[in-house]
Amino acid sequence: MDSGTTGKLRGCASAPSGFCPLTRRSVTTDAASSHAENIPQEDDKPFTVRLSDESFETYELDPPPYTLETTKKELKQMYYDMVTVRRMEMAADRLYKEKKIRGFCHLSVGQEAVAVGIEHAINRQDKIITAYRCHGFALMRGGTVKSIIGELLGRREGIAYGKGGSMHMFAENFYGGNGIVGAQVPVGAGLAFAQQYNEQPNTSIVLYGDGASNQGQVFEAFNMAKLWNLPVLFGCENNKYGMGTSAARSSALTEYYKRGQYIPGLKVNGMDVLATKAAVQYSKDYAVSGKGPLVLEYVTYRYGGHSMSDPGTTYRSREEIQRMRSTHDPIAGLKQKMLEWGVTSEEELKGLDKAARAHVDAEVAEAEQMPAPENTPRNLFEDIYVRGSEPRWMRGRTVDETFYY
Amino acid sequence: MVSPRSSRTLIPRVSRRCYSAAPSPAAKLNLPIDYKSTPLLHHTPSSLSSIPDFPAAATSKRLNLFQSINSALRTALSTSDKVMLFGEDVAFGGVFRCSMDLQTEFGSDRVFNTPLTEQGIAGFAIGAAAEGMKPVAEIQFADYVFPAFDQIVNEAAKFRYREGGTGGNVGGLVIRMPCGAVGHGALYHSQSPESLFAHIPGVRVVIPRSPSQAKGLLLSSIFEHNDPVIFMEPKILYRAAVEHVPNEYYTIPLSKAEVIKPGKDLTIISYGHPLYLCSSAISAIEKTMKGVNIELIDLRTIYPWDRQTVLESVRKTGRAVVVHESMVNYGVGAEVAATLQEGAFLRLEAPVKRVAGWSTHTGLTYEQFVLPDVARIYDAIKQTLEY
């Protein structure tokens, strides 16, 4: 036996030594790397955007076309959506710091292009399931800012009756919002199985983080999906850090799009909403046409900490965050392109910013006004299997307060 | 008699408090626990010396629960180089700071991060333990342990039984996990799955109530047993409970309950965080019902548990209430109550009462209604005494 090898392996398991491969992220994370010319006057007349050569990397797969058909209207909508998601996350951040939101709260500031790009590539019959960084997806799937902030505040009018809070939000064809890392992945394979069984021309988008990608059940889901050729698009949102552990310290293979082994993979610049849309559009066609699953990797970055209790600066440098914020921001990137191409003017963009801000602020204010839930047994015991397991009565402070169920 | 309907109309007092951390001004029983004065903690070093489990002439330091776990882990790592520590994010201290500075002190060969892979962590730890290591594996929250359930139930618990003649075992394997509710953890950061593990012969399930207990029980789990131990730490106590903890190595025997407060009229059996609620309820009822004297027992080890101490106590008092935080259905209370009716039936003056979480999930803003509180414990004591 070569004892040197054992030593190396152990060194790798215990991290900081130099044996682990560094994360290779050769796909660009430039949010403003595409080109377009001859922009039409009309708002809804299609034109072609040429994406950067570094938008995709593929594994056992022909790359998607490096062009994207879009319209001025759609670009403006994407911009508005990303700004809205960010404003909403900032509002959640503020409410958390004001101690109005308690418990767990994971924000997606920096990752907006993923949620928005995916939504613009699919339709409302396609399904999405994700982990706990879910506010943006909930909004894009049709949740209102009010219902999402209401949920965070624990209000009855929240999107899940205030019972779930930050991690658990559901909407039509949006299956959460899941608190256990990786647990949503096999569930997503099941969603796709139902679509295949019902012969629906749709796909299921199943998202998880770079941390979750090492869970055993992720691989169990991969196997089932390929075995039964399910129309599922697994997608690793690689923001480089699983909580406080960088991808290279937790994953033997950090090229997450190759993790499917027998499933073709596609790595995409997740900071560029246009590249994300192009990749998902292509992948959906692939899956729905009966070619089976794909494993996508959205290369992205979160500006904040993992959750509200993580300052996000102990395991990465402030310079790294600052660099991503100032030069790779998905919103600023799209803005720069839209101005460059003459899609819109500074004034119109300012108007969109203002409209998004006003919309979010108004809905947040309404959410804050919602009453706290009533402490009735109906609220406490609804939607669980066991009826009749509630107590017969509950003693109050005085006899007349005693509550009989 | 108040009819259900009329009382129902009284309920929708829209209260401004959304979280259990903030009691209503009218509350008399459900007040915040005063950890500075509770009799459950050693506020001065002098009270330590009266405890038989603790080392004589010990020096001590005031620590909260996460600091005492850290102290226990440091003691274990320096006692034997077979001890190793791993889990998600433990290298930089863990989410609750229990492993702070340990990687710096003991090196990344012994203290290291794992991928997010609970089933893998458990299996990996079992393999290491089978080779004579003493792996202390951390599961970040008890709510995340379920992917590892198969490894714990089918591999760890059956290991010694299965090995038979070889004498192989996975003693020294400790799977630590923070458990319990803090008031706003919602569905996946509030659970206490001890009764699920307590169903499985071959594992020991331990829940300490305080920093000094935690250190002794954890060292005992690592060094003194040939069974794998599930070590559940009530996370609400990580910062809240502060007391004097001996600096030295010491152990507290597993599967041995402790009578925290002797009494003659009723026995309360509990463990972990609800003991503080029990203690408050006891002092309230002893004030209002003169002459009443309640005995309080901390199970400490949930399984295999100390039936003898509990049976002896209830044979003496004739009345028992079991209190725990996790759901009442098929919980620890059911096992204790069944054992009492088997072993102390003729001495029982009242049915054994269970005060526990209701059979529902812990929704974000509903935790205060689901979990046992001082008023419910007080009420259960009263009903049992007046039966």
Side-chain angles (χ1 to χ4, degrees), chain A residues 104 106 132-133 167 179-181 211-212 215 241-245 302 306-307 309-310 315, chain B residues 85-99 112-119 121-122 136-148 152 174-180 188-191 193 231-236 238:
Chain A
F104 293 82
H106 307 85
Y132 40 78
R133 211 175 298 285
M167 294 191 281
I180 302 298
V181 285
Q215 288 283 358
Y241 300 93
M243 293 190 69
T245 304
R302 77 170 137 74
H306 164 78
S307 67
S309 55
D310 168 22
Y315 46 85
Chain B
L85 183 64
F86 50 85
E88 295 158 12
D89 292 313
V90 302
F92 74 87
V95 288
F96 290 106
R97 320 320 279 151
C98 291
S99 51
F112 52 90
N113 280 344
T114 62
L116 309 190
T117 168
E118 286 79 15
Q119 186 170 18
I121 293 170
V136 181
E138 178 177 299
I139 301 292
Q140 202 160 60
F141 283 86
D143 311 64
Y144 303 170
V145 77
F146 301 109
I152 293 168
V174 178
I175 303 181
R176 293 176 44 240
M177 57 192 90
C179 69
Y188 299 112
H189 294 87
S190 305
Q191 298 173 80
F231 197 86
M232 296 173 56
E233 299 157 11
K235 57 178 164 293
I236 194 168
Y238 273 141

Coordinates of all heavy atoms in Angstrom, one line a residue, chain A residues 104 106 132-133 167 179-181 211-212 215 241-245 302 306-307 309-310 315, chain B residues 85-99 112-119 121-122 136-148 152 174-180 188-191 193 231-236 238:
Chain A
F104 N -35.5 32.0 10.5 CA -34.5 31.8 9.4 C -34.9 32.6 8.2 O -36.1 32.7 7.8 CB -34.4 30.4 9.1 CG -33.8 29.6 10.2 CD1 -34.5 29.2 11.3 CD2 -32.4 29.4 10.2 CE1 -34.0 28.6 12.4 CE2 -31.8 28.8 11.3 CZ -32.6 28.3 12.4
H106 N -33.2 33.5 4.2 CA -32.1 33.4 3.3 C -32.4 34.3 2.1 O -33.4 34.1 1.4 CB -31.9 32.0 2.9 CG -31.8 31.0 4.0 ND1 -32.9 30.5 4.6 CD2 -30.7 30.5 4.6 CE1 -32.4 29.7 5.6 NE2 -31.1 29.7 5.6
Y132 N -34.3 26.6 0.1 CA -34.8 27.6 1.0 C -34.6 29.0 0.5 O -35.2 30.0 1.0 CB -34.2 27.5 2.4 CG -32.7 27.1 2.3 CD1 -31.8 28.1 2.1 CD2 -32.3 25.8 2.5 CE1 -30.5 27.7 2.0 CE2 -31.0 25.5 2.4 CZ -30.1 26.4 2.1 OH -28.8 26.1 2.0
R133 N -33.7 29.2 -0.5 CA -33.5 30.6 -1.0 C -34.5 30.8 -2.1 O -34.3 30.8 -3.3 CB -32.1 30.8 -1.6 CG -31.5 32.1 -1.4 CD -30.1 32.2 -1.9 NE -29.2 31.4 -1.1 CZ -28.8 31.7 0.2 NH1 -29.2 32.8 0.7 NH2 -28.0 30.8 0.8
M167 N -38.6 29.9 4.4 CA -38.1 28.8 3.6 C -39.2 28.0 2.9 O -39.0 27.2 2.0 CB -37.4 27.8 4.5 CG -36.1 28.3 5.1 SD -35.2 27.0 5.8 CE -36.0 26.9 7.4
G179 N -36.8 23.1 3.3 CA -35.8 23.4 4.4 C -34.7 22.4 4.5 O -33.6 22.7 5.0
I180 N -34.9 21.2 3.9 CA -33.8 20.2 4.1 C -33.0 20.2 2.8 O -33.6 19.9 1.7 CB -34.5 18.8 4.4 CG1 -35.3 18.9 5.6 CG2 -33.4 17.7 4.5 CD1 -34.6 19.2 6.9
V181 N -31.7 20.4 2.9 CA -30.9 20.5 1.7 C -30.9 19.2 0.9 O -30.6 18.2 1.4 CB -29.4 20.9 2.0 CG1 -29.4 22.4 2.3 CG2 -28.8 20.1 3.0
G211 N -23.8 23.2 -2.2 CA -23.7 22.5 -1.0 C -24.5 21.2 -1.0 O -24.1 20.1 -0.8
A212 N -25.8 21.4 -1.4 CA -26.7 20.2 -1.5 C -26.4 19.2 -2.5 O -26.8 18.0 -2.4 CB -28.1 20.8 -1.8
Q215 N -25.5 15.6 -1.4 CA -26.4 14.8 -0.8 C -26.7 13.5 -1.6 O -26.8 13.6 -2.8 CB -27.8 15.5 -0.5 CG -27.7 16.6 0.5 CD -27.7 16.0 1.9 OE1 -27.8 14.8 2.2 NE2 -27.7 16.9 2.9
Y241 N -20.5 29.0 -2.4 CA -20.4 28.7 -1.0 C -21.6 27.9 -0.4 O -22.7 28.4 -0.6 CB -20.2 29.9 -0.1 CG -18.9 30.7 -0.5 CD1 -19.0 31.7 -1.5 CD2 -17.7 30.3 0.0 CE1 -17.9 32.4 -1.9 CE2 -16.5 31.0 -0.4 CZ -16.6 32.0 -1.3 OH -15.5 32.7 -1.8
G242 N -21.4 26.7 0.1 CA -22.4 26.0 0.9 C -22.3 26.5 2.3 O -21.4 26.1 3.0
M243 N -23.2 27.4 2.7 CA -23.0 28.1 4.0 C -21.6 28.8 4.0 O -21.4 29.6 3.1 CB -23.3 27.2 5.2 CG -24.7 26.8 5.3 SD -25.1 26.0 6.8 CE -25.0 27.4 8.0
G244 N -20.8 28.3 4.9 CA -19.5 29.0 5.0 C -18.4 28.1 4.4 O -17.2 28.4 4.6
T245 N -18.7 27.1 3.6 CA -17.7 26.2 3.1 C -17.7 26.4 1.6 O -18.7 26.2 0.9 CB -18.0 24.8 3.5 OG1 -18.1 24.7 4.9 CG2 -16.9 23.8 3.0
R302 N -23.9 35.0 -4.4 CA -24.8 35.8 -3.4 C -23.9 36.8 -2.7 O -22.9 36.6 -2.3 CB -25.5 34.8 -2.4 CG -24.6 34.3 -1.3 CD -25.4 33.5 -0.3 NE -24.8 32.3 0.2 CZ -23.7 32.2 1.0 NH1 -23.2 33.3 1.4 NH2 -23.2 31.1 1.3
H306 N -25.0 33.6 4.1 CA -25.9 32.4 3.8 C -27.3 32.7 4.4 O -28.3 32.5 3.7 CB -25.3 31.2 4.5 CG -26.3 30.1 4.6 ND1 -26.6 29.3 3.6 CD2 -27.0 29.6 5.7 CE1 -27.5 28.4 4.0 NE2 -27.8 28.6 5.3
S307 N -27.3 33.2 5.6 CA -28.6 33.6 6.2 C -28.4 34.8 7.0 O -27.3 35.4 7.0 CB -29.1 32.4 7.1 OG -28.3 32.3 8.3
S309 N -27.9 35.4 10.0 CA -26.9 35.3 11.1 C -25.5 35.2 10.6 O -24.6 35.1 11.4 CB -27.3 34.2 12.1 OG -27.3 33.0 11.3
D310 N -25.4 35.2 9.3 CA -24.0 35.0 8.7 C -23.6 36.3 8.1 O -24.3 36.8 7.1 CB -24.0 33.9 7.7 CG -22.8 33.8 6.8 OD1 -21.8 34.4 7.2 OD2 -22.9 33.3 5.7
Y315 N -15.5 33.8 5.4 CA -14.9 32.8 4.6 C -14.6 33.2 3.2 O -14.3 32.5 2.3 CB -15.9 31.6 4.5 CG -17.3 32.0 4.3 CD1 -17.8 32.2 3.0 CD2 -18.2 32.2 5.3 CE1 -19.1 32.6 2.7 CE2 -19.5 32.6 5.1 CZ -20.0 32.8 3.8 OH -21.2 33.2 3.6
Chain B
L85 N -13.4 15.1 15.2 CA -14.6 15.9 15.2 C -14.9 16.3 13.8 O -14.0 16.9 13.2 CB -14.4 17.1 16.1 CG -15.5 18.1 16.3 CD1 -16.6 17.4 17.1 CD2 -15.0 19.2 17.2
F86 N -16.1 16.0 13.3 CA -16.4 16.5 11.9 C -17.9 16.7 11.7 O -18.7 16.2 12.5 CB -15.8 15.6 10.9 CG -16.2 14.1 11.1 CD1 -17.4 13.6 10.6 CD2 -15.3 13.3 11.7 CE1 -17.7 12.3 10.8 CE2 -15.6 11.9 11.9 CZ -16.8 11.4 11.5
G87 N -18.2 17.5 10.7 CA -19.6 17.8 10.4 C -19.6 19.0 9.5 O -18.6 19.5 9.2
E88 N -20.8 19.5 9.2 CA -21.0 20.6 8.3 C -20.6 21.9 9.0 O -21.1 22.2 10.1 CB -22.4 20.6 7.8 CG -22.8 19.4 7.0 CD -24.3 19.1 6.9 OE1 -25.1 20.0 7.3 OE2 -24.6 18.0 6.4
D89 N -19.6 22.5 8.5 CA -19.1 23.8 9.0 C -18.5 23.8 10.4 O -18.4 24.8 11.1 CB -20.3 24.9 9.0 CG -20.7 25.2 7.6 OD1 -19.8 25.5 6.8 OD2 -21.9 25.3 7.3
V90 N -18.1 22.6 10.9 CA -17.5 22.6 12.2 C -16.1 23.3 12.2 O -15.6 23.7 13.3 CB -17.3 21.2 12.8 CG1 -18.7 20.5 13.0 CG2 -16.4 20.3 12.1
A91 N -15.4 23.3 11.1 CA -14.0 23.8 11.0 C -14.0 25.3 11.5 O -13.1 25.7 12.2 CB -13.5 23.7 9.6
F92 N -15.0 26.1 11.1 CA -14.9 27.5 11.6 C -15.8 27.7 12.8 O -16.1 28.8 13.2 CB -15.3 28.4 10.5 CG -16.7 28.5 10.1 CD1 -17.6 29.4 10.7 CD2 -17.2 27.7 9.0 CE1 -18.9 29.4 10.4 CE2 -18.5 27.8 8.6 CZ -19.4 28.7 9.3
G93 N -16.1 26.6 13.5 CA -16.8 26.8 14.8 C -18.2 26.2 14.9 O -18.8 26.1 16.0
G94 N -18.8 25.9 13.7 CA -20.1 25.4 13.7 C -21.1 26.5 13.9 O -20.8 27.6 14.4
V95 N -22.4 26.3 13.4 CA -23.3 27.4 13.5 C -23.6 27.8 14.9 O -24.0 29.0 15.1 CB -24.7 27.0 12.7 CG1 -24.5 26.9 11.3 CG2 -25.3 25.7 13.3
F96 N -23.4 27.0 15.9 CA -23.7 27.4 17.2 C -22.4 27.6 18.0 O -22.4 27.6 19.2 CB -24.6 26.4 17.9 CG -26.0 26.5 17.4 CD1 -26.5 25.4 16.6 CD2 -26.9 27.5 17.7 CE1 -27.8 25.5 16.1 CE2 -28.1 27.6 17.2 CZ -28.6 26.6 16.4
R97 N -21.3 27.6 17.4 CA -20.0 28.0 18.0 C -19.4 26.9 18.9 O -18.6 27.1 19.7 CB -20.0 29.3 18.7 CG -20.8 30.5 18.1 CD -20.7 30.6 16.7 NE -19.5 31.3 16.2 CZ -18.9 31.1 15.0 NH1 -19.5 30.2 14.2 NH2 -17.9 31.7 14.6
C98 N -20.0 25.7 18.8 CA -19.6 24.6 19.7 C -18.1 24.1 19.4 O -17.5 23.6 20.3 CB -20.5 23.4 19.6 SG -22.1 23.8 20.3
S99 N -17.7 24.3 18.2 CA -16.3 23.8 17.9 C -15.4 24.9 17.6 O -14.4 24.8 16.9 CB -16.4 22.8 16.7 OG -17.1 23.4 15.6
F112 N -12.6 18.7 11.1 CA -12.7 19.1 9.7 C -14.2 19.2 9.3 O -15.1 18.6 9.8 CB -11.9 18.2 8.8 CG -12.2 16.7 8.9 CD1 -13.2 16.1 8.2 CD2 -11.4 16.0 9.8 CE1 -13.4 14.7 8.3 CE2 -11.6 14.6 9.9 CZ -12.6 14.0 9.2
N113 N -14.4 19.9 8.2 CA -15.7 20.1 7.6 C -16.0 18.9 6.7 O -15.1 18.3 6.1 CB -15.7 21.3 6.6 CG -15.9 22.6 7.4 OD1 -16.3 22.6 8.5 ND2 -15.6 23.7 6.7
T114 N -17.3 18.5 6.6 CA -17.7 17.5 5.7 C -18.6 18.2 4.7 O -19.1 19.3 4.9 CB -18.6 16.5 6.4 OG1 -19.7 17.1 6.9 CG2 -17.8 15.8 7.5
P115 N -18.8 17.6 3.5 CA -19.9 18.1 2.6 C -21.3 18.0 3.3 O -21.4 17.4 4.4 CB -19.8 17.1 1.4 CG -18.5 16.5 1.5 CD -18.1 16.4 3.0
L116 N -22.3 18.5 2.7 CA -23.6 18.4 3.3 C -24.2 17.0 2.9 O -24.8 16.8 1.9 CB -24.5 19.5 2.7 CG -24.1 20.9 2.7 CD1 -25.2 21.9 2.3 CD2 -23.5 21.3 4.1
T117 N -23.9 16.1 3.8 CA -24.2 14.7 3.4 C -24.4 13.9 4.7 O -23.6 13.2 5.1 CB -23.0 14.2 2.5 OG1 -23.1 12.8 2.4 CG2 -21.7 14.5 3.1
E118 N -25.6 14.1 5.3 CA -25.9 13.5 6.6 C -25.7 12.0 6.6 O -25.1 11.4 7.5 CB -27.2 13.9 7.1 CG -27.3 15.4 7.5 CD -27.5 16.4 6.4 OE1 -27.8 15.9 5.3 OE2 -27.3 17.6 6.6
Q119 N -26.3 11.4 5.6 CA -26.2 9.9 5.6 C -24.7 9.5 5.5 O -24.3 8.6 6.1 CB -27.0 9.4 4.4 CG -27.0 7.9 4.4 CD -28.0 7.3 3.4 OE1 -28.4 8.0 2.4 NE2 -28.3 6.0 3.5
I121 N -22.1 11.3 6.5 CA -21.4 11.6 7.8 C -21.6 10.5 8.8 O -20.7 10.0 9.4 CB -22.0 12.9 8.4 CG1 -21.6 14.1 7.5 CG2 -21.5 13.2 9.8 CD1 -22.3 15.4 7.9
A122 N -22.9 10.0 8.9 CA -23.2 9.0 9.9 C -22.4 7.7 9.5 O -21.8 7.1 10.3 CB -24.7 8.7 10.0
V136 N -16.7 12.1 16.8 CA -17.8 12.9 17.3 C -18.3 13.6 16.0 O -17.7 14.5 15.5 CB -17.4 13.9 18.3 CG1 -18.6 14.7 18.8 CG2 -16.8 13.2 19.5
A137 N -19.5 13.1 15.5 CA -20.0 13.7 14.3 C -21.1 14.7 14.7 O -21.9 14.5 15.5 CB -20.6 12.6 13.4
E138 N -21.1 15.8 14.0 CA -22.1 16.8 14.3 C -23.1 16.9 13.1 O -22.7 17.0 11.9 CB -21.5 18.2 14.4 CG -22.6 19.3 14.7 CD -22.0 20.7 14.9 OE1 -21.3 20.8 15.9 OE2 -22.3 21.6 14.2
I139 N -24.4 16.7 13.4 CA -25.4 17.0 12.5 C -25.9 18.4 12.8 O -26.2 18.7 14.0 CB -26.6 16.0 12.6 CG1 -26.1 14.6 12.4 CG2 -27.8 16.3 11.7 CD1 -25.7 14.2 11.0
Q140 N -26.0 19.3 11.8 CA -26.1 20.7 12.1 C -27.4 21.0 12.9 O -27.4 21.9 13.8 CB -26.1 21.5 10.8 CG -25.7 22.9 10.9 CD -25.3 23.5 9.6 OE1 -26.0 23.5 8.7 NE2 -24.1 23.9 9.6
F141 N -28.5 20.4 12.6 CA -29.7 20.5 13.3 C -30.3 19.1 13.4 O -30.2 18.3 12.4 CB -30.7 21.4 12.6 CG -30.4 22.9 12.8 CD1 -29.6 23.5 11.9 CD2 -31.0 23.6 13.8 CE1 -29.3 24.9 12.0 CE2 -30.7 25.0 13.9 CZ -29.9 25.6 13.0
A142 N -31.0 18.8 14.5 CA -31.6 17.5 14.7 C -32.6 17.3 13.5 O -32.8 16.1 13.1 CB -32.3 17.4 16.0
D143 N -33.2 18.3 13.0 CA -34.1 18.2 11.9 C -33.5 17.7 10.6 O -34.2 17.2 9.7 CB -34.7 19.6 11.6 CG -35.2 20.3 12.8 OD1 -34.3 20.7 13.7 OD2 -36.4 20.6 12.9
Y144 N -32.2 17.7 10.5 CA -31.5 17.3 9.3 C -31.0 15.8 9.4 O -30.4 15.3 8.5 CB -30.2 18.1 9.0 CG -30.4 19.6 8.9 CD1 -29.3 20.4 8.8 CD2 -31.7 20.2 8.8 CE1 -29.5 21.8 8.7 CE2 -31.8 21.5 8.7 CZ -30.7 22.3 8.6 OH -30.9 23.7 8.5
V145 N -31.3 15.2 10.6 CA -30.7 13.9 10.8 C -31.4 12.7 10.0 O -30.8 11.7 9.8 CB -30.7 13.5 12.3 CG1 -32.1 13.1 12.8 CG2 -29.7 12.5 12.6
F146 N -32.6 13.0 9.5 CA -33.3 11.9 8.9 C -32.7 11.2 7.7 O -32.8 10.0 7.6 CB -34.8 12.4 8.6 CG -35.4 12.8 9.9 CD1 -35.7 14.1 10.1 CD2 -35.7 11.9 10.9 CE1 -36.3 14.6 11.3 CE2 -36.2 12.3 12.1 CZ -36.6 13.6 12.3
P147 N -31.9 11.9 6.8 CA -31.2 11.1 5.8 C -30.3 10.1 6.4 O -30.0 9.0 5.9 CB -30.4 12.1 5.0 CG -31.2 13.4 5.2 CD -31.8 13.3 6.6
A148 N -29.8 10.4 7.7 CA -28.8 9.5 8.4 C -29.5 8.4 9.2 O -28.9 7.6 9.8 CB -27.9 10.3 9.3
I152 N -28.0 5.1 11.1 CA -28.0 5.0 12.6 C -28.8 3.7 13.1 O -28.4 3.0 13.9 CB -28.7 6.3 13.2 CG1 -27.7 7.5 13.0 CG2 -28.9 6.1 14.7 CD1 -28.3 8.8 13.2
V174 N -20.3 9.3 18.7 CA -21.3 10.2 19.3 C -21.8 11.0 18.1 O -21.0 11.6 17.4 CB -20.7 11.0 20.4 CG1 -21.7 12.0 20.9 CG2 -20.1 10.2 21.5
I175 N -23.1 11.0 17.9 CA -23.7 11.9 16.9 C -24.4 13.0 17.7 O -25.4 12.8 18.3 CB -24.6 11.1 16.0 CG1 -23.8 10.0 15.4 CG2 -25.2 12.1 15.0 CD1 -24.7 9.1 14.4
R176 N -23.8 14.2 17.6 CA -24.3 15.4 18.3 C -25.3 16.1 17.4 O -25.0 16.3 16.2 CB -23.2 16.4 18.7 CG -22.2 15.9 19.7 CD -21.1 16.9 19.9 NE -21.7 18.2 20.0 CZ -21.5 19.2 19.2 NH1 -20.6 19.1 18.2 NH2 -22.1 20.4 19.3
M177 N -26.3 16.7 18.0 CA -27.2 17.5 17.2 C -28.0 18.5 18.1 O -28.5 18.1 19.2 CB -28.2 16.7 16.4 CG -29.0 15.7 17.2 SD -29.8 14.5 16.2 CE -28.6 13.2 16.2
P178 N -28.1 19.8 17.7 CA -28.9 20.7 18.4 C -30.4 20.4 18.2 O -30.8 20.0 17.1 CB -28.6 22.1 17.8 CG -27.5 21.8 16.9 CD -27.4 20.4 16.5
C179 N -31.2 20.4 19.2 CA -32.6 20.1 19.0 C -33.5 21.1 19.7 O -33.0 22.0 20.4 CB -32.9 18.7 19.6 SG -32.7 18.7 21.4
G180 N -34.8 21.0 19.5 CA -35.8 21.8 20.3 C -36.1 23.1 19.6 O -35.4 23.6 18.7
Y188 N -38.4 23.2 10.2 CA -37.2 22.4 10.1 C -36.1 22.9 11.0 O -34.9 22.5 10.8 CB -36.8 22.4 8.6 CG -37.8 21.8 7.7 CD1 -38.4 22.6 6.8 CD2 -38.1 20.5 7.8 CE1 -39.4 22.0 5.9 CE2 -39.0 19.9 7.0 CZ -39.7 20.7 6.0 OH -40.6 20.1 5.2
H189 N -36.4 23.6 12.0 CA -35.3 24.0 13.0 C -35.9 24.0 14.4 O -35.4 24.7 15.2 CB -34.7 25.4 12.6 CG -34.0 25.4 11.3 ND1 -34.6 25.7 10.2 CD2 -32.7 25.2 11.0 CE1 -33.8 25.6 9.2 NE2 -32.6 25.4 9.7
S190 N -36.8 23.1 14.6 CA -37.5 23.1 15.9 C -37.7 21.7 16.5 O -38.1 21.6 17.6 CB -38.9 23.7 15.8 OG -38.8 25.0 15.3
Q191 N -37.4 20.7 15.7 CA -37.9 19.4 16.2 C -37.0 18.7 17.2 O -35.8 19.0 17.3 CB -37.9 18.4 14.9 CG -38.9 18.9 13.9 CD -38.9 18.1 12.6 OE1 -39.4 17.0 12.5 NE2 -38.2 18.6 11.6
P193 N -36.4 14.9 17.8 CA -36.7 13.5 17.4 C -36.2 12.4 18.4 O -36.0 11.3 17.9 CB -36.1 13.4 16.1 CG -34.9 14.3 16.1 CD -35.2 15.4 17.1
F231 N -26.5 12.3 20.9 CA -26.4 13.4 21.9 C -27.1 14.6 21.5 O -26.7 15.3 20.5 CB -24.9 13.6 22.2 CG -24.6 14.3 23.4 CD1 -24.5 13.6 24.6 CD2 -24.5 15.7 23.5 CE1 -24.2 14.3 25.8 CE2 -24.2 16.4 24.7 CZ -24.1 15.7 25.8
M232 N -28.3 14.9 22.1 CA -29.1 16.0 21.6 C -29.0 17.2 22.5 O -29.2 17.0 23.7 CB -30.5 15.5 21.4 CG -30.7 14.4 20.4 SD -32.3 13.7 20.3 CE -33.3 15.0 20.0
E233 N -28.6 18.3 22.0 CA -28.4 19.5 22.8 C -29.5 20.5 22.6 O -29.7 21.0 21.5 CB -27.0 20.1 22.4 CG -25.9 19.1 22.6 CD -24.7 19.4 21.8 OE1 -24.6 20.5 21.1 OE2 -23.8 18.6 21.8
P234 N -30.3 20.9 23.7 CA -31.4 21.8 23.5 C -30.8 23.2 23.1 O -30.1 23.8 23.9 CB -32.0 21.9 24.9 CG -31.5 20.7 25.6 CD -30.2 20.4 25.0
K235 N -31.0 23.6 21.9 CA -30.3 24.8 21.4 C -30.7 26.1 22.0 O -29.9 27.0 22.0 CB -30.4 24.9 19.8 CG -31.8 24.9 19.3 CD -31.6 25.1 17.8 CE -32.9 24.8 17.0 NZ -33.4 23.4 17.0
I236 N -31.9 26.1 22.6 CA -32.3 27.3 23.3 C -31.4 27.6 24.5 O -31.2 28.7 25.0 CB -33.8 27.2 23.8 CG1 -34.3 28.6 24.2 CG2 -34.0 26.2 24.9 CD1 -35.8 28.6 24.4
Y238 N -28.1 27.0 24.5 CA -26.7 27.3 24.1 C -26.2 28.6 24.7 O -25.1 28.7 25.2 CB -26.6 27.4 22.6 CG -26.3 26.0 22.0 CD1 -27.0 25.7 20.8 CD2 -25.5 25.1 22.5 CE1 -26.7 24.5 20.1 CE2 -25.3 23.8 21.9 CZ -25.9 23.5 20.7 OH -25.7 22.3 20.1

